Amino acid sequence: MTYKIAVFPGDGIGPEIMAEAIKVMDCLSSVLGTGFELETGLVGGAAFDQVGDPLPAESLALARASDAILLGAVGGPKWESLDYSVRPERGLLRLRADLDLFSNLRPAILHPQLIDASSLKPEIVEGLDIMIVRELTGGIYFGKPRGVRILDDGEREGFNTLVYRESEIRRIGHSAFQIAIKRNRQVCSVDKANVLECTELWRDIMDQISSEYPEVELSHMYVDNAAMQLVRAPKQFDVIVTTNMFGDILSDCASMLTGSIGMLPSASLDGNGKGMYEPIHGSAPDIAGLGRANPLATILSVSMLLRYSFAESDAADLVDQAVQVALESGARTPDIHSAGLQEVSTSGMGDAVVAAMHEVADGL
Ligand code: NAD
């Protein structure tokens, strides 16, 4: 069995972290015989520079024709003055929307070796394992009308629209409940139903769905409180389900509990299990090209790809265990480094994971 993977390195640190993920896939092929056929495509600023479009038709066709997609990150200051319609981020949003990848799973897991890298006290984060389920193809990032207009008095006014159809809320709700069944059976739906009608509807639909999952406990929380609770007592959460923008913000917040934004992978799935896998962080222009980027979020995205798109749990377990072993050995990129441990570059971390994969596989 050979899996056809579309690889989009993107911009900034994207190509650096992707190179390490590819090393891991090559290693899986040699150690477990997992067959990957990788085809690289252009997306983001790199695509705009070459063909004037952040999501060229060939890239979309490649994504559609592949069994799964692995993406680095897009964007950067170089493209910030472009019109929104051709910005790198728009290419990524279009890719997600065109493939209907509405269910974005963002696990925030604290690896025990990184307890000192967390921004919170060890007793607050020890054993942390949250799954944030973010709606990815609707809400304010896509709602229309949007733009900046000039009012009669000459002042400019910016506007965006938060909009969700019942069916969009229902399908992301089902994703969250189905994941919760395999975990600790608790779903916390995060909204702002006290001021936003759209999220009052969100709450209503979550309540409706909940009757179909009597074994799962549903709670509701306003987003401002959720942000506070995430840094006060994050272990109260099992599965969080929320809107596109709230999920974007809360998952970045959750990432720091795990030590670094460079540790969090994600899966974006359609209704049939097709998925795109990417780290939750951006293109980190401040460290691009310096070999300082942490590739583990991208490597762990490979593990999610194996697990969610292909049910290759042995291969996914091997990657996850190898990351643990690499961290155990003391390898640390600068973002998770602390005194007494070995600081490694982006490629050094990839090498440490590959070495650990051989070690773990030999011990099987
Ligand atoms: P960012 O996530 O790129 O960086 C935030 C901070 O985290 C920076 O200090 C960066 O150095 C650090 N960081 C990020 N990833 C890291 C890694 N793997 N290892 C070590 N440190 C890491 O967010 P930003 O600075 O707000 O955005 C930069 C660009 O990325 C912008 O153009 C933005 O639009 C884009 N962006 C893209 C995505 C995506 O492609 N999915 C997501 C968020 C932001």
Side-chain angles (χ1 to χ4, degrees):
M1 181 81 192
T2 297
Y3 301 119
K4 193 169 167 4
I5 316 285
V7 173
F8 295 113
D11 310 317
I13 61 171
E16 297 167 59
I17 52 178
M18 189 59 78
E20 304 315 309
I22 291 173
K23 269 185 200 167
V24 165
M25 286 192 279
D26 287 345
C27 181
L28 281 170
S29 300
S30 67
V31 170
L32 292 183
T34 319
F36 296 109
E37 187 188 319
L38 307 183
E39 192 170 341
T40 303
L42 284 172
V43 71
F48 178 81
D49 285 350
Q50 288 205 27
V51 296
D53 182 350
L55 181 63
E58 307 80 67
S59 297
L60 185 56
L62 170 63
R64 283 193 200 286
S66 303
D67 299 318
I69 302 145
L70 190 64
L71 187 135
V74 300
K78 182 178 174 192
W79 302 282
E80 268 167 17
S81 55
L82 292 174
D83 185 79
Y84 270 102
S85 60
V86 288
R87 290 231 190 133
E89 294 80 358
R90 189 52 44 189
L92 178 57
L93 291 185
R94 271 172 49 207
L95 188 55
R96 291 169 176 168
D98 286 358
L99 297 180
D100 210 14
L101 304 171
F102 68 90
S103 178
N104 183 218
L105 313 184
R106 299 187 154 198
I109 296 170
L110 177 75
H111 295 271
Q113 302 84 355
L114 294 186
I115 198 148
D116 293 329
S118 172
S119 53
L120 296 188
K121 295 182 197 121
E123 61 272 25
I124 291 180
V125 287
E126 190 176 17
L128 184 81
D129 181 352
I130 304 174
M131 178 66 88
I132 298 179
V133 180
R134 168 189 172 195
E135 199 292 323
L136 200 62
T137 52
I140 198 163
Y141 290 0
F142 291 93
K144 288 184 181 148
R146 58 187 299 147
V148 178
R149 60 190 159 212
I150 299 174
L151 299 173
D152 291 345
D153 63 4
E155 192 180 2
R156 286 182 301 158
E157 179 182 67
F159 54 100
N160 290 88
T161 306
L162 173 61
V163 57
Y164 272 116
R165 296 170 75 105
E166 280 190 53
S167 52
E168 288 177 291
I169 304 170
R170 196 160 273 125
R171 65 181 185 174
I172 193 68
H174 281 297
S175 283
F177 278 96
Q178 280 157 18
I179 287 164
I181 286 174
K182 298 186 199 137
R183 295 173 47 99
N184 289 332
R185 303 182 171 205
Q186 290 172 18
V187 170
C188 178
S189 171
V190 172
D191 60 41
K192 190 71 183 167
N194 49 343
V195 287
L196 298 173
E197 290 84 347
C198 181
T199 65
E200 198 178 9
L201 177 68
W202 176 282
R203 188 175 279 223
D204 185 37
I205 301 293
M206 290 296 160
D207 279 333
Q208 280 181 21
I209 296 171
S210 126
S211 63
E212 295 176 44
Y213 301 90
E215 66 276 56
V216 178
E217 185 191 324
L218 172 68
S219 60
H220 300 281
M221 198 178 276
Y222 296 137
V223 64
D224 40 353
N225 185 23
M228 191 263 279
Q229 295 297 337
L230 262 180
V231 291
R232 190 189 74 87
K235 284 190 274 182
Q236 71 184 281
F237 296 110
D238 176 26
V239 174
I240 292 176
V241 61
T242 190
T243 64
N244 201 340
M245 183 163 75
F246 294 164
D248 191 2
I249 297 167
L250 292 179
S251 57
D252 269 30
C253 174
S255 75
M256 276 322 292
L257 312 182
T258 72
S260 167
I261 196 165
M263 292 300 301
L264 257 61
S266 80
S268 307
L269 307 174
D270 72 3
N272 306 311
K274 173 147 180 173
M276 177 158 81
Y277 300 83
E278 49 178 319
I280 76 153
H281 58 72
S283 59
D286 52 334
I287 55 168
L290 301 177
R292 295 176 66 82
N294 185 343
L296 291 181
T298 318
I299 290 172
L300 290 167
S301 297
V302 172
S303 153
M304 289 191 87
L305 176 153
L306 292 160
R307 215 177 280 287
Y308 285 89
S309 278
F310 306 137
E312 289 270 9
S313 52
D314 288 349
D317 288 348
L318 178 58
V319 176
D320 290 348
Q321 284 172 33
V323 167
Q324 300 281 353
V325 172
L327 291 172
E328 202 63 57
S329 76
R332 298 284 189 278
T333 41
D335 57 315
I336 50 175
H337 184 253
S338 52
L341 296 167
Q342 183 202 357
E343 186 168 312
V344 296
S345 64
T346 307
S347 67
M349 183 59 101
D351 292 342
V353 173
V354 166
M357 285 171 75
H358 286 290
E359 206 180 298
V360 173
D362 288 347
L364 286 176

